[in-house]
Amino acid sequence: MTMFLIMAFEFFKTSLFAVGGGLATIPFLFDIASRYTWLDAKMLPNMIAISESTPGPIGVNMATYVGYSAGSVYGILFGIIGGIITTLSLVLPSLIVIIFVSKVLEKFKENRFVQDAFYGIRPSVTALILIAGVTVMKNAFLLSGGAINYKALVLFVFLYVFRIVFKKLHPIVMILIAALIGVIFNF
């Protein structure tokens, strides 16, 4: 039970401070992985890929994935409970903030200080997303010990060129092709 309370707190805190959406939660997930045994940093790149490939917000998908994986160590029921707890914990701060902000902003939406505050938040959101991208690339292209993962690099270049050549290809088809190639490369 303690693990579920910690998971709820960590995902509540992540949601509260990860301004900018799902990708902004990635640095928080790496931090959680460094502090707790129920989240392994090595599984994060796969979790991110799965979360981006499945329908729904990436942050919610990642929270559900982590909660389910961590809880399923104790059985399928705890996996489902863990997924529900982390998902609700991630969504709750946004719900609270949206309700509060909608009431306040209605009164102050023309206020110069409010507009300036939103202008100031943009660079921090950009930095969080940039850090997430660099971290994901580092984990994808570097093996333990710092050696380059040439297989991942070749796959990235191939898919990048493939995307340029087939511009009109639907994103879902691209995701399926990338997933298929990833499965083939890993067998």
Side-chain angles (χ1 to χ4, degrees), residues 11-112:
F11 278 91
F12 186 89
K13 183 176 71 171
T14 296
S15 178
L16 202 55
F17 295 106
V19 179
L23 292 177
T25 64
I26 294 173
F28 291 93
L29 292 175
F30 278 102
D31 178 59
I32 292 169
S34 71
R35 291 184 288 121
Y36 300 105
T37 57
W38 45 262
L39 179 59
D40 184 11
K42 292 178 182 174
M43 73 184 233
L44 286 175
N46 289 336
M47 179 188 69
I48 293 165
I50 291 168
S51 296
E52 286 185 332
S53 302
T54 53
I58 184 174
V60 172
N61 291 346
M62 288 189 293
T64 306
Y65 186 99
V66 170
Y68 181 82
S69 297
S72 64
V73 170
Y74 303 103
I76 190 84
L77 178 62
F78 288 105
I80 293 169
I81 292 170
I84 291 169
I85 287 172
T86 53
T87 302
L88 291 177
S89 298
L90 190 82
V91 171
L92 188 59
S94 298
L95 181 64
I96 293 168
V97 168
I98 286 170
I99 291 169
F100 175 74
V101 168
S102 69
K103 299 293 183 192
V104 172
L105 275 183
E106 193 59 40
K107 293 179 183 178
F108 297 104
K109 66 181 173 186
E110 300 299 324
N111 186 307
R112 192 189 107 202

Side-chain angles (χ1 to χ4, degrees), residues 111-123:
N111 186 307
R112 192 189 107 202
F113 294 113
V114 172
Q115 292 176 353
D116 289 347
F118 279 119
Y119 182 76
I121 288 173
R122 288 182 192 142

